[in-house]
Amino acid sequence: MVLAAASVALAAGCTAQTAGTGSAGAGGSAGPSGSSSARPSASASASASASASPSESESATPEASPTDDGKAPSASPTFPTPEPSGSASDGATASPALMKDGDENEQVRELQARLRQGKFFDRAPTGFYGTMTAGSVRAFQKKQGLDATGSVDEATWQRLLGASRKPTADELKPSTTNALDAPAPACMTGRVLCISKESRTLAWMIDGKVVSSMDVRFGSENTPTREGTFSVGWKAREWTSTIYHTPMPYAMFFSGGQAVHYSADFAARGYAGASHGCVNVRDRAKLSALFDQVKVGDKVVVHW
């Protein structure tokens, strides 16, 4: 089966790109970016088979080298405290937003880490300002007696600076995975790679119970990761993209050339990048263990 699958995989492989950019590869369709708030206009549901010829997937060339545990070296960034403009105060008209839905940068990562200190944000910082971050900001604003806009203005930012401390490097890029979403109904029976675009997580589930979980990222808006119920068509412990000529270790192909696999770029840059459709994993050790457990034919569910 491995030889047969490999013989039809002459066009398998895609690479990482800056989030929100890139062009669609073969078989690409309009869809979401790798963010927690983007949603596609339509969803595709298909089942990949062992005989399918992959046409799109990815791998990555890192811009920075991850540490031995697969995490990128990080330092706690510093940002200048904004000068009060006098236009934002309790009960007054809010000043222009410093951070808002759709932003993605290191200041958003610090915002999430500070909110997490106060238990307003319950997952690892991603640096992306999506609906979950907006909800956490809104909860903080309500507790502080500020207008609950869900966006960060000067008043909100300075209140948060006063109510928290500078995050450590581990708080900015913690070892723990993002909190899991409630699994989709299709994930509750059998052996399933249950992948949530909302929480950016992969949960390996057997008969409705989570065996292991890990962070993932997805394709950009131009090269989306397809949604739906699929199955693992074939696996390759060592695979090199035939399109981009970059490594794709522990690849488990589930929809044409789209696969779950380890990404050194994801380990190094986190959510600053995106794939060309594959599901990237940044924890190599966890994925290695998962690769040994997953069998060809196991279900793959990609959902919001």
Short mmCIF file of all heavy atoms in Angstrom, two decimals, residues 64-125:
data_model
loop_
_atom_site.label_atom_id
_atom_site.label_comp_id
_atom_site.label_asym_id
_atom_site.label_seq_id
_atom_site.Cartn_x
_atom_site.Cartn_y
_atom_site.Cartn_z
N ALA A 64 13.41 30.85 11.66
CA ALA A 64 14.18 30.78 12.89
C ALA A 64 14.23 29.33 13.31
O ALA A 64 13.39 28.54 12.93
CB ALA A 64 13.53 31.63 13.98
N SER A 65 15.25 28.95 14.07
CA SER A 65 15.41 27.56 14.46
C SER A 65 14.72 27.31 15.79
O SER A 65 14.97 28.01 16.76
CB SER A 65 16.91 27.22 14.61
OG SER A 65 17.54 27.38 13.37
N PRO A 66 13.80 26.30 15.87
CA PRO A 66 13.17 25.99 17.13
C PRO A 66 14.15 25.33 18.08
O PRO A 66 15.19 24.80 17.68
CB PRO A 66 12.05 25.01 16.73
CG PRO A 66 12.55 24.40 15.46
CD PRO A 66 13.35 25.47 14.77
N THR A 67 13.82 25.34 19.38
CA THR A 67 14.66 24.69 20.36
C THR A 67 14.46 23.19 20.29
O THR A 67 13.63 22.70 19.53
CB THR A 67 14.30 25.20 21.77
OG1 THR A 67 12.88 25.01 21.97
CG2 THR A 67 14.61 26.69 21.89
N ASP A 68 15.20 22.43 21.13
CA ASP A 68 15.15 20.97 21.06
C ASP A 68 13.76 20.44 21.31
O ASP A 68 13.39 19.38 20.83
CB ASP A 68 16.13 20.36 22.08
CG ASP A 68 17.57 20.62 21.68
OD1 ASP A 68 17.81 20.91 20.47
OD2 ASP A 68 18.45 20.55 22.54
N ASP A 69 12.95 21.16 22.13
CA ASP A 69 11.61 20.67 22.42
C ASP A 69 10.60 21.08 21.37
O ASP A 69 9.41 20.89 21.53
CB ASP A 69 11.15 21.15 23.81
CG ASP A 69 11.05 22.66 23.89
OD1 ASP A 69 11.37 23.33 22.88
OD2 ASP A 69 10.67 23.16 24.95
N GLY A 70 11.07 21.68 20.25
CA GLY A 70 10.19 22.05 19.17
C GLY A 70 9.61 23.44 19.28
O GLY A 70 8.90 23.89 18.40
N LYS A 71 9.94 24.17 20.37
CA LYS A 71 9.44 25.52 20.55
C LYS A 71 10.45 26.53 20.06
O LYS A 71 11.65 26.33 20.19
CB LYS A 71 9.14 25.81 22.02
CG LYS A 71 7.92 25.11 22.56
CD LYS A 71 7.74 25.40 24.03
CE LYS A 71 7.66 26.88 24.28
NZ LYS A 71 7.54 27.21 25.71
N ALA A 72 9.94 27.61 19.50
CA ALA A 72 10.84 28.66 19.06
C ALA A 72 11.35 29.44 20.26
O ALA A 72 10.64 29.65 21.23
CB ALA A 72 10.11 29.62 18.12
N PRO A 73 12.62 29.85 20.23
CA PRO A 73 13.13 30.69 21.32
C PRO A 73 12.35 31.99 21.33
O PRO A 73 12.00 32.54 20.29
CB PRO A 73 14.60 30.91 20.93
CG PRO A 73 14.64 30.68 19.47
CD PRO A 73 13.62 29.63 19.19
N SER A 74 12.01 32.47 22.51
CA SER A 74 11.21 33.68 22.57
C SER A 74 11.69 34.57 23.70
O SER A 74 12.29 34.13 24.66
CB SER A 74 9.74 33.34 22.79
OG SER A 74 9.57 32.65 24.01
N ALA A 75 11.43 35.82 23.56
CA ALA A 75 11.72 36.79 24.60
C ALA A 75 10.49 37.62 24.81
O ALA A 75 9.68 37.81 23.91
CB ALA A 75 12.89 37.69 24.19
N SER A 76 10.30 38.11 26.02
CA SER A 76 9.12 38.90 26.31
C SER A 76 9.26 40.27 25.65
O SER A 76 10.16 41.03 25.96
CB SER A 76 8.98 39.07 27.83
OG SER A 76 7.85 39.84 28.13
N PRO A 77 8.39 40.59 24.69
CA PRO A 77 8.52 41.86 23.99
C PRO A 77 8.08 43.02 24.88
O PRO A 77 7.33 42.85 25.82
CB PRO A 77 7.58 41.70 22.80
CG PRO A 77 6.53 40.76 23.29
CD PRO A 77 7.25 39.80 24.21
N THR A 78 8.54 44.20 24.57
CA THR A 78 8.12 45.40 25.28
C THR A 78 7.50 46.36 24.28
O THR A 78 7.92 46.45 23.14
CB THR A 78 9.31 46.08 25.97
OG1 THR A 78 10.30 46.41 24.99
CG2 THR A 78 9.92 45.17 27.03
N PHE A 79 6.50 47.06 24.73
CA PHE A 79 5.82 48.02 23.89
C PHE A 79 5.67 49.31 24.66
O PHE A 79 5.43 49.30 25.87
CB PHE A 79 4.42 47.51 23.49
CG PHE A 79 4.45 46.18 22.81
CD1 PHE A 79 4.21 45.02 23.52
CD2 PHE A 79 4.73 46.10 21.46
CE1 PHE A 79 4.23 43.80 22.88
CE2 PHE A 79 4.75 44.87 20.82
CZ PHE A 79 4.51 43.73 21.54
N PRO A 80 5.82 50.44 24.02
CA PRO A 80 5.67 51.70 24.72
C PRO A 80 4.25 51.88 25.20
O PRO A 80 3.29 51.53 24.52
CB PRO A 80 6.01 52.75 23.64
CG PRO A 80 5.74 52.05 22.34
CD PRO A 80 6.10 50.61 22.59
N THR A 81 4.11 52.38 26.43
CA THR A 81 2.79 52.67 26.95
C THR A 81 2.23 53.88 26.22
O THR A 81 2.89 54.92 26.16
CB THR A 81 2.86 52.97 28.46
OG1 THR A 81 3.41 51.84 29.12
CG2 THR A 81 1.47 53.27 29.02
N PRO A 82 1.06 53.77 25.64
CA PRO A 82 0.54 54.89 24.87
C PRO A 82 0.27 56.10 25.75
O PRO A 82 -0.13 55.97 26.90
CB PRO A 82 -0.77 54.34 24.29
CG PRO A 82 -1.13 53.18 25.15
CD PRO A 82 0.17 52.61 25.66
N GLU A 83 0.52 57.28 25.21
CA GLU A 83 0.25 58.51 25.92
C GLU A 83 -1.25 58.73 26.00
O GLU A 83 -1.94 58.64 24.99
CB GLU A 83 0.90 59.70 25.19
CG GLU A 83 2.41 59.67 25.21
CD GLU A 83 2.96 59.95 26.60
OE1 GLU A 83 2.24 60.59 27.40
OE2 GLU A 83 4.09 59.53 26.89
N PRO A 84 -1.78 59.01 27.20
CA PRO A 84 -3.22 59.27 27.28
C PRO A 84 -3.58 60.48 26.43
O PRO A 84 -2.91 61.51 26.48
CB PRO A 84 -3.45 59.55 28.77
CG PRO A 84 -2.25 58.97 29.47
CD PRO A 84 -1.11 59.09 28.50
N SER A 85 -4.63 60.36 25.65
CA SER A 85 -5.02 61.45 24.78
C SER A 85 -6.06 62.36 25.41
O SER A 85 -6.35 63.44 24.91
CB SER A 85 -5.62 60.88 23.48
OG SER A 85 -6.81 60.18 23.77
N GLY A 86 -6.61 61.90 26.55
CA GLY A 86 -7.63 62.68 27.20
C GLY A 86 -9.00 62.47 26.58
O GLY A 86 -10.00 62.99 27.07
N SER A 87 -9.05 61.69 25.51
CA SER A 87 -10.34 61.47 24.85
C SER A 87 -11.02 60.21 25.31
O SER A 87 -12.15 59.94 24.95
CB SER A 87 -10.13 61.37 23.33
OG SER A 87 -9.28 60.29 23.03
N ALA A 88 -10.32 59.38 26.13
CA ALA A 88 -10.92 58.14 26.61
C ALA A 88 -10.88 58.12 28.12
O ALA A 88 -9.83 58.24 28.72
CB ALA A 88 -10.17 56.93 26.06
N SER A 89 -12.00 57.97 28.74
CA SER A 89 -12.09 57.83 30.18
C SER A 89 -13.40 57.16 30.50
O SER A 89 -14.25 56.98 29.62
CB SER A 89 -12.03 59.21 30.86
OG SER A 89 -13.10 60.02 30.41
N ASP A 90 -13.58 56.78 31.79
CA ASP A 90 -14.81 56.10 32.17
C ASP A 90 -16.00 56.97 31.79
O ASP A 90 -16.10 58.13 32.19
CB ASP A 90 -14.82 55.81 33.66
CG ASP A 90 -13.75 54.79 34.03
OD1 ASP A 90 -13.03 54.34 33.11
OD2 ASP A 90 -13.64 54.47 35.21
N GLY A 91 -16.91 56.42 31.02
CA GLY A 91 -18.11 57.14 30.65
C GLY A 91 -17.94 58.08 29.48
O GLY A 91 -18.90 58.69 29.01
N ALA A 92 -16.71 58.24 28.99
CA ALA A 92 -16.48 59.15 27.87
C ALA A 92 -16.45 58.36 26.57
O ALA A 92 -16.37 57.15 26.56
CB ALA A 92 -15.18 59.91 28.07
N THR A 93 -16.45 59.07 25.48
CA THR A 93 -16.37 58.42 24.17
C THR A 93 -15.02 57.73 24.02
O THR A 93 -13.99 58.31 24.33
CB THR A 93 -16.53 59.47 23.05
OG1 THR A 93 -17.78 60.12 23.23
CG2 THR A 93 -16.48 58.80 21.69
N ALA A 94 -15.04 56.49 23.56
CA ALA A 94 -13.81 55.70 23.47
C ALA A 94 -12.86 56.30 22.43
O ALA A 94 -13.28 56.82 21.41
CB ALA A 94 -14.14 54.26 23.11
N SER A 95 -11.57 56.22 22.74
CA SER A 95 -10.56 56.68 21.80
C SER A 95 -10.37 55.62 20.72
O SER A 95 -10.85 54.50 20.85
CB SER A 95 -9.24 56.94 22.53
OG SER A 95 -8.81 55.75 23.17
N PRO A 96 -9.64 55.92 19.65
CA PRO A 96 -9.43 54.93 18.59
C PRO A 96 -8.80 53.65 19.13
O PRO A 96 -7.99 53.69 20.06
CB PRO A 96 -8.48 55.66 17.62
CG PRO A 96 -8.76 57.11 17.86
CD PRO A 96 -9.05 57.23 19.33
N ALA A 97 -9.18 52.53 18.52
CA ALA A 97 -8.70 51.22 18.99
C ALA A 97 -7.20 51.06 18.73
O ALA A 97 -6.72 51.37 17.64
CB ALA A 97 -9.48 50.11 18.31
N LEU A 98 -6.49 50.59 19.74
CA LEU A 98 -5.08 50.22 19.58
C LEU A 98 -4.96 48.80 19.05
O LEU A 98 -4.03 48.49 18.31
CB LEU A 98 -4.36 50.32 20.93
CG LEU A 98 -4.39 51.68 21.64
CD1 LEU A 98 -3.72 51.56 23.00
CD2 LEU A 98 -3.72 52.74 20.78
N MET A 99 -5.90 47.93 19.46
CA MET A 99 -5.96 46.55 19.00
C MET A 99 -7.42 46.17 18.83
O MET A 99 -8.26 46.54 19.65
CB MET A 99 -5.28 45.61 20.01
CG MET A 99 -3.78 45.72 20.06
SD MET A 99 -3.06 44.77 21.45
CE MET A 99 -3.17 45.99 22.79
N LYS A 100 -7.70 45.42 17.77
CA LYS A 100 -9.09 45.07 17.48
C LYS A 100 -9.15 43.75 16.71
O LYS A 100 -8.12 43.21 16.31
CB LYS A 100 -9.76 46.18 16.67
CG LYS A 100 -9.12 46.44 15.32
CD LYS A 100 -9.73 47.64 14.64
CE LYS A 100 -9.17 47.86 13.23
NZ LYS A 100 -7.70 47.99 13.22
N ASP A 101 -10.37 43.28 16.51
CA ASP A 101 -10.61 42.02 15.80
C ASP A 101 -9.93 42.03 14.43
O ASP A 101 -10.07 42.97 13.66
CB ASP A 101 -12.12 41.84 15.62
CG ASP A 101 -12.49 40.46 15.11
OD1 ASP A 101 -11.69 39.53 15.28
OD2 ASP A 101 -13.58 40.32 14.53
N GLY A 102 -9.17 40.97 14.17
CA GLY A 102 -8.46 40.84 12.89
C GLY A 102 -6.99 41.18 12.96
O GLY A 102 -6.22 40.80 12.07
N ASP A 103 -6.54 41.88 14.03
CA ASP A 103 -5.13 42.20 14.17
C ASP A 103 -4.32 40.95 14.51
O ASP A 103 -4.83 40.03 15.17
CB ASP A 103 -4.91 43.24 15.28
CG ASP A 103 -5.42 44.62 14.89
OD1 ASP A 103 -5.71 44.83 13.70
OD2 ASP A 103 -5.54 45.48 15.78
N GLU A 104 -3.08 40.92 14.10
CA GLU A 104 -2.20 39.79 14.43
C GLU A 104 -0.77 40.32 14.55
O GLU A 104 -0.15 40.68 13.56
CB GLU A 104 -2.27 38.70 13.37
CG GLU A 104 -1.49 37.44 13.75
CD GLU A 104 -1.85 36.24 12.90
OE1 GLU A 104 -2.49 36.42 11.85
OE2 GLU A 104 -1.50 35.11 13.29
N ASN A 105 -0.26 40.37 15.78
CA ASN A 105 1.08 40.85 16.04
C ASN A 105 1.49 40.49 17.46
O ASN A 105 0.72 39.87 18.21
CB ASN A 105 1.17 42.38 15.81
CG ASN A 105 0.11 43.14 16.59
OD1 ASN A 105 -0.03 42.96 17.81
ND2 ASN A 105 -0.64 43.99 15.90
N GLU A 106 2.71 40.86 17.83
CA GLU A 106 3.24 40.48 19.14
C GLU A 106 2.58 41.28 20.28
O GLU A 106 2.57 40.82 21.42
CB GLU A 106 4.75 40.66 19.18
CG GLU A 106 5.50 39.62 18.34
CD GLU A 106 5.14 38.19 18.75
OE1 GLU A 106 5.36 37.83 19.92
OE2 GLU A 106 4.62 37.44 17.91
N GLN A 107 2.06 42.45 19.99
CA GLN A 107 1.36 43.19 21.05
C GLN A 107 0.06 42.49 21.41
O GLN A 107 -0.33 42.45 22.58
CB GLN A 107 1.09 44.64 20.62
CG GLN A 107 0.59 45.49 21.80
CD GLN A 107 0.50 46.96 21.48
OE1 GLN A 107 0.50 47.34 20.32
NE2 GLN A 107 0.44 47.79 22.50
N VAL A 108 -0.61 41.90 20.43
CA VAL A 108 -1.81 41.11 20.72
C VAL A 108 -1.44 39.91 21.58
O VAL A 108 -2.16 39.53 22.50
CB VAL A 108 -2.50 40.66 19.42
CG1 VAL A 108 -3.64 39.69 19.71
CG2 VAL A 108 -3.02 41.86 18.64
N ARG A 109 -0.29 39.30 21.31
CA ARG A 109 0.17 38.17 22.13
C ARG A 109 0.34 38.61 23.58
O ARG A 109 -0.04 37.90 24.52
CB ARG A 109 1.48 37.60 21.57
CG ARG A 109 1.95 36.33 22.30
CD ARG A 109 3.31 35.89 21.78
NE ARG A 109 3.25 35.50 20.38
CZ ARG A 109 2.84 34.30 19.96
NH1 ARG A 109 2.49 33.38 20.82
NH2 ARG A 109 2.82 34.03 18.67
N GLU A 110 0.94 39.80 23.79
CA GLU A 110 1.12 40.30 25.15
C GLU A 110 -0.23 40.59 25.80
O GLU A 110 -0.45 40.30 26.97
CB GLU A 110 1.98 41.56 25.17
CG GLU A 110 2.15 42.11 26.59
CD GLU A 110 3.08 43.29 26.69
OE1 GLU A 110 3.87 43.52 25.76
OE2 GLU A 110 3.02 43.99 27.72
N LEU A 111 -1.14 41.16 25.02
CA LEU A 111 -2.50 41.41 25.52
C LEU A 111 -3.12 40.11 26.03
O LEU A 111 -3.68 40.06 27.14
CB LEU A 111 -3.36 41.99 24.39
CG LEU A 111 -4.87 42.01 24.61
CD1 LEU A 111 -5.25 43.03 25.66
CD2 LEU A 111 -5.60 42.29 23.29
N GLN A 112 -3.04 39.05 25.23
CA GLN A 112 -3.63 37.77 25.62
C GLN A 112 -2.97 37.20 26.86
O GLN A 112 -3.63 36.65 27.74
CB GLN A 112 -3.52 36.80 24.44
CG GLN A 112 -4.38 37.19 23.24
CD GLN A 112 -4.03 36.42 21.99
OE1 GLN A 112 -2.90 35.98 21.80
NE2 GLN A 112 -5.00 36.26 21.09
N ALA A 113 -1.64 37.34 26.95
CA ALA A 113 -0.92 36.82 28.12
C ALA A 113 -1.32 37.58 29.38
O ALA A 113 -1.49 36.98 30.46
CB ALA A 113 0.59 36.92 27.89
N ARG A 114 -1.48 38.89 29.27
CA ARG A 114 -1.90 39.69 30.44
C ARG A 114 -3.34 39.35 30.83
O ARG A 114 -3.66 39.25 32.03
CB ARG A 114 -1.75 41.18 30.14
CG ARG A 114 -0.30 41.66 30.10
CD ARG A 114 -0.21 43.14 29.78
NE ARG A 114 1.15 43.64 29.76
CZ ARG A 114 1.81 44.10 30.82
NH1 ARG A 114 1.21 44.12 32.01
NH2 ARG A 114 3.05 44.54 30.70
N LEU A 115 -4.22 39.18 29.85
CA LEU A 115 -5.59 38.78 30.16
C LEU A 115 -5.63 37.40 30.80
O LEU A 115 -6.45 37.13 31.69
CB LEU A 115 -6.43 38.76 28.87
CG LEU A 115 -6.77 40.13 28.26
CD1 LEU A 115 -7.36 39.95 26.87
CD2 LEU A 115 -7.76 40.88 29.16
N ARG A 116 -4.73 36.54 30.37
CA ARG A 116 -4.68 35.18 30.94
C ARG A 116 -4.25 35.22 32.41
O ARG A 116 -4.71 34.40 33.21
CB ARG A 116 -3.73 34.31 30.13
CG ARG A 116 -3.91 32.82 30.39
CD ARG A 116 -2.97 31.98 29.55
NE ARG A 116 -3.36 30.57 29.58
CZ ARG A 116 -2.62 29.58 29.14
NH1 ARG A 116 -1.43 29.82 28.60
NH2 ARG A 116 -3.05 28.34 29.19
N GLN A 117 -3.38 36.15 32.76
CA GLN A 117 -2.97 36.29 34.16
C GLN A 117 -4.19 36.55 35.06
O GLN A 117 -4.26 36.07 36.19
CB GLN A 117 -1.97 37.43 34.31
CG GLN A 117 -0.60 37.16 33.72
CD GLN A 117 0.31 38.37 33.78
OE1 GLN A 117 -0.01 39.38 34.40
NE2 GLN A 117 1.45 38.27 33.12
N GLY A 118 -5.14 37.34 34.54
CA GLY A 118 -6.34 37.65 35.30
C GLY A 118 -7.49 36.69 35.06
O GLY A 118 -8.62 36.94 35.49
N LYS A 119 -7.21 35.59 34.36
CA LYS A 119 -8.18 34.53 34.08
C LYS A 119 -9.34 35.03 33.20
O LYS A 119 -10.46 34.52 33.27
CB LYS A 119 -8.72 33.92 35.38
CG LYS A 119 -7.62 33.32 36.24
CD LYS A 119 -8.17 32.52 37.40
CE LYS A 119 -7.06 32.01 38.31
NZ LYS A 119 -6.06 31.22 37.60
N PHE A 120 -9.04 36.00 32.35
CA PHE A 120 -10.02 36.45 31.37
C PHE A 120 -9.85 35.70 30.04
O PHE A 120 -10.77 35.67 29.24
CB PHE A 120 -9.89 37.96 31.12
CG PHE A 120 -10.24 38.80 32.31
CD1 PHE A 120 -9.26 39.28 33.16
CD2 PHE A 120 -11.57 39.09 32.59
CE1 PHE A 120 -9.58 40.05 34.25
CE2 PHE A 120 -11.91 39.86 33.70
CZ PHE A 120 -10.91 40.34 34.53
N PHE A 121 -8.67 35.15 29.81
CA PHE A 121 -8.34 34.45 28.57
C PHE A 121 -7.84 33.07 28.98
O PHE A 121 -6.90 32.96 29.78
CB PHE A 121 -7.26 35.23 27.82
CG PHE A 121 -7.03 34.78 26.40
CD1 PHE A 121 -7.95 35.06 25.40
CD2 PHE A 121 -5.88 34.10 26.05
CE1 PHE A 121 -7.72 34.66 24.08
CE2 PHE A 121 -5.64 33.70 24.74
CZ PHE A 121 -6.57 33.98 23.76
N ASP A 122 -8.47 32.01 28.45
CA ASP A 122 -8.21 30.67 29.00
C ASP A 122 -7.41 29.76 28.09
O ASP A 122 -7.47 28.55 28.21
CB ASP A 122 -9.54 29.98 29.34
CG ASP A 122 -10.41 29.72 28.11
OD1 ASP A 122 -10.02 30.17 27.01
OD2 ASP A 122 -11.46 29.07 28.26
N ARG A 123 -6.61 30.35 27.18
CA ARG A 123 -5.81 29.50 26.30
C ARG A 123 -4.45 30.14 26.06
O ARG A 123 -4.18 31.25 26.50
CB ARG A 123 -6.53 29.27 24.98
CG ARG A 123 -6.82 30.51 24.18
CD ARG A 123 -7.85 30.22 23.12
NE ARG A 123 -9.07 29.77 23.74
CZ ARG A 123 -9.85 28.82 23.23
NH1 ARG A 123 -9.53 28.24 22.10
NH2 ARG A 123 -10.95 28.44 23.84
N ALA A 124 -3.60 29.41 25.37
CA ALA A 124 -2.26 29.93 25.09
C ALA A 124 -2.35 31.11 24.12
O ALA A 124 -3.13 31.08 23.18
CB ALA A 124 -1.37 28.84 24.50
N PRO A 125 -1.57 32.17 24.33
CA PRO A 125 -1.57 33.30 23.41
C PRO A 125 -1.19 32.88 22.00
O PRO A 125 -0.27 32.08 21.81
CB PRO A 125 -0.52 34.25 24.00
CG PRO A 125 -0.48 33.91 25.45
CD PRO A 125 -0.70 32.42 25.51
#
